[in-house]
Amino acid sequence: MGSTSDKVSGTANKVAGKAKQAVGKAIDNDRLKAEGKGQEVKGKVQTASGKAKDAVKGAVDHI
């Protein structure tokens, strides 16, 4: 997976996770809130991975 696709997937997962948490909170569903939090964390990791890949590519390009 490339850095751009990691960042896009990460953003999508963060947004979807936050939405799930909001719905879970609204309907008092702990399972949905937990799933949403997990998906949000997954998104943060994907985004960070994409940024790290960009940094490595930038460093290699300068060599």
Side-chain angles (χ1 to χ4, degrees):
M1 198 179 248
S3 64
T4 300
S5 61
D6 282 340
K7 290 185 283 186
V8 169
S9 294
T11 299
N13 274 316
K14 285 191 291 187
V15 170
K18 286 182 181 188
K20 278 185 183 178
Q21 289 177 75
V23 171
K25 186 175 180 180
I27 63 172
D28 197 27
N29 184 316
D30 290 336
R31 185 183 64 87
L32 193 56
K33 287 189 283 188
E35 282 180 17
K37 185 63 178 173
Q39 190 169 1
E40 181 183 2
V41 169
K42 178 183 175 181
K44 288 179 181 181
V45 170
Q46 286 174 317
T47 300
S49 174
K51 288 179 182 178
K53 287 177 184 178
D54 283 346
V56 169
K57 184 180 181 318
V60 170
D61 288 346
H62 283 84
I63 295 177

